[in-house]
Amino acid sequence: AALIKAPALLRGAWSDLDADAGGIDVLLWSGGKDSFLAARALCRERKSKRRLLLLTTFDAGSRQVAHQEVQIDDICRQAEVLGLPLLGCPLVPHAPYQERIEAALRLIASSSPIPVLRVCNGDLHLEHIAQWRKEHIAPLALDALGAQLYAPLWKVPYDELLLDLTASATPCRVCATDGAVALGTLFDATLLANLGSEVCVFT
């Protein structure tokens, strides 16, 4: 992961995908809890994790995923634990984000033995982000893959999301904060109780 300068498969193999699925989903994976919950939702829906490919963008210089502030090596470890193939897409200053995403999607189109049905994300409720994806990512997904944009968690009540996160028994730690919580704090029932109802943990 520390060496790639262009989109490349960082974990797993194309043959890991279910050849009998009729189509796979690509999930834009940030390494955060929303992406994790989206992956769980997709695997439940498709009744198999072999119908899911993770796609992560990261800064080619710092090797860090934006917003989550997670290193790409940590993302690779997440994919390994989940048993899912991971495509890495390094971002560079001289190339627009959409151009790099398009390159990644076209690599999937030329490499995957199975067609892609949907390009998915972990969006929950932010209308302006959903609109941006609709305007900038949806056309790329359709042109490169013939795929639709899909957000499996869109408008799902937060209580349901927290129940699913708890049911996963997966430890999650705070990796980005406005200062209200220390980095590295375990995201669990104790933290939620201390934060109180006035703090939204899914913003």
Side-chain angles (χ1 to χ4, degrees):
L3 299 176
I4 69 166
K5 301 297 182 183
L9 205 59
L10 298 181
R11 190 271 163 196
W14 298 109
S15 58
D16 292 341
L17 299 168
D18 186 355
D20 298 321
I24 63 169
D25 291 324
V26 173
L27 174 61
L28 303 178
W29 179 265
S30 69
K33 66 184 186 306
D34 298 351
S35 290
F36 174 61
L37 291 172
R40 283 175 59 82
L42 291 168
C43 289
R44 284 194 300 267
E45 181 183 331
R46 303 298 304 280
K47 298 180 171 59
S48 172
K49 68 179 182 180
R50 293 189 61 215
R51 298 171 181 177
L52 184 60
L53 169 68
L54 306 181
L55 169 57
T56 296
T57 59
F58 61 96
D59 185 275
S62 68
R63 319 310 286 182
Q64 200 169 64
V65 178
H67 306 299
Q68 298 294 346
E69 311 304 325
V70 175
Q71 292 295 125
I72 189 60
D73 287 343
D74 291 327
I75 297 290
C76 291
R77 282 190 281 272
Q78 289 178 338
E80 184 70 30
V81 170
L82 293 170
L84 292 170
L86 168 70
L87 186 75
C89 179
L91 303 177
V92 293
H94 60 271
Y97 177 82
Q98 293 96 306
E99 182 180 303
R100 299 297 277 180
I101 286 290
E102 182 179 13
L105 297 180
R106 294 202 179 279
L107 175 62
I108 295 169
S110 65
S111 303
S112 174
I114 308 154
V116 175
L117 300 177
R118 302 176 296 191
V119 173
C120 311
N121 58 71
D123 290 351
L124 303 177
H125 66 278
L126 296 178
E127 299 284 354
H128 67 283
I129 293 179
Q131 184 61 33
W132 187 91
R133 291 196 200 274
K134 182 178 179 180
E135 293 175 1
H136 299 281
I137 303 301
L140 299 179
L142 185 61
D143 184 55
L145 299 166
Q148 301 297 314
L149 204 60
Y150 179 53
L153 305 182
W154 187 249
K155 301 294 185 181
V156 173
Y158 295 161
D159 287 348
E160 289 185 26
L161 297 177
L162 286 171
L163 284 173
D164 190 38
L165 189 63
T166 301
S168 75
T170 301
C172 299
R173 293 189 178 276
V174 175
C175 61
T177 177
D178 61 1
V181 179
L183 291 174
T185 301
L186 192 64
F187 186 91
D188 59 8
T190 300
L191 173 63
L192 297 178
N194 290 337
L195 288 175
S197 58
E198 69 277 5
V199 177
C200 178
V201 297
F202 282 100
T203 53

